[in-house]
Amino acid sequence: MLGCKGSSGMGVRYKLTLATGLLECLGFAGVVFGWASLVFVLKTDGYFSDLCINATDASAELGTDCSLQDEKFSLVFTVASFMNNFLTLPNGFIYDHFGTMATRFLAIFLYTTGTLIVALSNKALSILLFPALSFIAVGGILFLMTNMQVGNLFGSHRSTIITVYNGAFDSSSVIFLIIKVLYERGVSLRSSFLFLSACNLIHLLRTLFLMPKSHIPYPIPDDYKYGMSCAKSHSYNVEQYEGEQDLSSDRGRGVADESLATTDNSEKDSFRSCVLSWFFLWHLIWLSVMQLRHYFFIGTLNPMLNRLANQDPDTVSEYTNAFAFTQLCGVLCAPWNGLLMDRHKRKPLDPGVSEREADLRSSILSLLLTSLQCLLFSICASVPFLPLQYVTFILQVLNRSFLYGGNAAFISIAFPARHFGKLYGLVMSLSAVVSLLQYPCFALNKVLGGDPFYANIILTVPTLLAFIHPVYVFLHCRELAKQRENSQSILEASILETSMY
């Protein structure tokens, strides 16, 4: 059994944990963001079809107006995406205080419940989509949250693994495309979701055998073991372990703000000081404005394509499939962001530079590129030219993979690990509140006759705020370097003065 053969056995277990976690995120965690593909199936099965009404178009021809149906589907996605982020805060507290196993049991329960509700629903019970998609979304983000700590097992590649898992989370949206393709070949929606429900047995086995009961510490102790095995596992209190690390090393892992210069580590590293830091504020704004842009795009993709394709269902289906296939590339794009953030790991640190400061410096380019990608994506999405949307799809998946991977990696760098679950949950919850602004944008879109151009322009302007975050981190790192140079100059002057006597 894994874990019974010393360090080599644990090395195998580390790799198996990494690989199965990647498959878990890729196959289940973020399926809700493939909503545009699932909408096709739901429309064919008649969900919310009672909202379609007979109407005449501009040429006085009788047709069917399903704008209210589209609005209801957009609302389902809005609620699910909001719950996906907002409930991350209480879930983060559960993760920090009760550990990995309890959190994953909650995730399995929610995910199984959600998939079963969809499997048992029909057009007469369309309203069940609201709780079902919300359960699936919340369960999926919990799978991601508990998997990101696996990066701690591979120290020099920590940020890369975190971003890869987030990329896999984005790519899992292709699962709804697979369901759509299977549906077109005769496999019912119920059968597909019953299969997803049955797969939760895999999550249960992985929770018991390949995940820790509590948390994975960082750095990894030499005698660290986890999961069920013939050897007794070691349970670590992350807060206590970090405190011991701080006492034995001068690198420090406190939050990077004005309190960095204080000597009271417990005060400096408190949850309150993290939340009230400028780093947290600008990071929250950075995530919120870009996430809002993505949610509005995904929520309005189907009606936007219908408008640009002049209601041609074959063309809309073609572009929807293209969008879903590009989402699969998220897992391929994400590692580049991690490599950017880990690029300094194999180089020796400059004299006086802590590992944490070096990590912050490496994050600047990642934060800047992510902001630039979102701006370009938003501009392309605003142009009402159908072939250009292929470029929009590519920029969207690239930006999403950088956004969420960079979000988690930055939190793990800038703040203490013992607060990761709470801070990750808080930033996701607050950004979820901001994401509710997508619904007024949906309403504006409706008032303008379904033309998303003005709503897209309105959402493009706030994305410029995202550029403040990398600039602030850059200025902070420059200030740290200046303080270090001043301290070195004072020390050298003191040594010179002492030698004169």
Side-chain angles (χ1 to χ4, degrees), residues 14-86:
Y14 288 179
K15 293 175 183 176
L16 189 56
T17 300
L18 173 65
T20 55
L22 183 62
L23 289 174
E24 186 173 77
C25 289
L26 185 61
F28 303 94
V31 294
V32 71
F33 294 102
W35 178 243
S37 298
L38 188 63
V39 165
F40 250 89
V41 179
L42 296 173
K43 281 187 173 181
T44 305
D45 273 359
Y47 284 74
F48 298 120
S49 57
D50 57 309
L51 297 176
C52 292
I53 58 175
N54 293 326
T56 54
D57 57 20
S59 59
E61 293 184 3
L62 184 64
T64 304
D65 180 10
C66 290
S67 58
L68 291 177
Q69 183 190 35
D70 288 333
E71 185 179 345
K72 188 67 72 172
F73 280 128
S74 295
L75 183 58
V76 171
F77 178 76
T78 300
V79 172
S81 59
F82 171 76
M83 299 300 286
N84 173 77
N85 287 358
F86 186 74

Side-chain angles (χ1 to χ4, degrees), residues 36-37 40 177 180 297 301-302 304-306 308-309 312-327 385-393:
S37 298
F40 250 89
L177 171 64
K180 173 179 177 287
F297 178 76
L301 180 61
N302 190 266
M304 181 194 76
L305 291 177
N306 270 300
L308 295 179
D312 180 8
D314 292 334
T315 303
V316 174
S317 180
E318 176 187 338
Y319 275 83
T320 302
N321 290 348
F323 172 73
F325 277 120
T326 56
Q327 299 305 296
F385 182 58
L386 189 59
L388 182 63
Q389 300 315 306
Y390 286 121
V391 179
T392 305
F393 297 161

Side-chain angles (χ1 to χ4, degrees), residues 27-28 111 115 175-176 179 191-200:
F28 303 94
Y111 204 92
T115 51
I175 297 300
F176 279 173
I179 290 176
S191 299
S192 294
F193 275 87
L194 285 175
F195 176 77
L196 287 179
S197 298
C199 286
N200 280 285

Side-chain angles (χ1 to χ4, degrees), residues 41 44-45 178-189:
V41 179
T44 305
D45 273 359
I178 295 174
I179 290 176
K180 173 179 177 287
V181 172
L182 291 174
Y183 181 84
E184 291 170 346
R185 283 158 177 73
V187 179
S188 68
L189 183 68

Side-chain angles (χ1 to χ4, degrees), residues 282-283 285-287 289-290 293-294 337 363-379 395 398-400 402-403 406 460-471:
W282 292 123
H283 187 67
I285 293 174
W286 178 84
L287 174 66
V289 295
M290 289 191 280
R293 187 68 191 90
H294 282 277
N337 192 21
S363 71
I364 296 171
L365 181 58
S366 169
L367 297 172
L368 182 63
L369 282 177
T370 306
S371 304
L372 182 61
Q373 290 164 1
C374 186
L375 180 62
L376 294 175
F377 149 65
S378 188
I379 292 173
L395 288 171
L398 180 64
N399 185 231
R400 266 183 61 85
F402 268 60
L403 176 63
T460 299
V461 175
T463 60
L464 298 174
L465 294 173
F467 288 92
I468 298 176
H469 188 29
V471 171

Side-chain angles (χ1 to χ4, degrees), residues 9 14 18 60 126 128 155 175 215 290 352 385 410 433 495:
Y14 288 179
L18 173 65
S126 301
L128 291 179
I175 297 300
H215 301 92
M290 289 191 280
F385 182 58
F410 183 82
V433 175
I495 294 174

